[in-house]
Amino acid sequence: MGLFHKALTVNEAINQSRTRDNAVLVDIRSRAAYREGYVAGSINIPLDKAELITKRIPDREATVYVIGSTASEPAKGVKAFKKLGYKNVVQGGCMEDHHGLLRHG
C-alpha cells in the first residue's frame, strides 16, 4: 500500500465494514448527535473520548472505519486511534453525505 490513501465515502465505509472480516464501523460524533441518527451496527466513540476504543474494540488488528460529522473529522479520529496503537484505521467520510436509513435513540 502507498503512503496516501483515498478517503472513503461514508457509504463505502459502511459497506466495507459489513463485508470484511474483523471490521468495525466507529462513529466519532458526540453522543447527542449519534442518538439523533446513526448507522445500524456502528459503535459510538466520541472523538473527545477516543481512549474508549481500547475497551470497546480490544483487537488492535481490527479494521476500524471512522465516520464523523464533517469531512475533516474522520481524519482526526484516524490519527487518534492510530496513536492508541490501532494499525488498520480507515477514514470513512461524514454523515452529512450518508444515503440510507438511520436508527434513532
Side-chain angles (χ1 to χ4, degrees):
M1 278 191 183
L3 183 58
F4 298 98
H5 304 283
K6 175 188 170 284
L8 300 176
T9 67
V10 67
N11 288 84
E12 290 170 334
I14 293 165
N15 290 336
Q16 288 185 24
S17 70
R18 291 179 177 166
T19 59
R20 297 198 175 178
D21 291 335
N22 201 24
V24 182
L25 183 67
V26 175
D27 187 326
I28 60 170
R29 295 178 297 150
S30 69
R31 294 211 188 283
Y34 184 80
R35 282 192 297 267
E36 291 203 9
Y38 61 92
V39 175
S42 65
I43 297 172
N44 182 226
I45 301 174
L47 185 56
D48 63 343
K49 298 186 185 327
E51 70 282 354
L52 293 176
I53 193 172
T54 60
K55 292 180 181 173
R56 303 287 307 273
I57 308 166
D59 181 1
R60 293 175 195 234
E61 298 292 327
T63 302
V64 178
Y65 293 91
V66 182
I67 59 175
S69 291
T70 64
S72 64
E73 196 174 49
K76 293 175 186 174
V78 167
K79 185 177 179 180
F81 295 147
K82 283 188 174 184
K83 193 173 185 178
L84 291 167
Y86 289 81
K87 298 179 181 9
N88 303 307
V89 189
V90 180
Q91 187 174 330
C94 64
M95 288 299 292
E96 285 75 16
D97 296 333
H98 177 264
H99 301 288
L101 298 174
L102 294 176
R103 297 199 178 236
H104 299 276

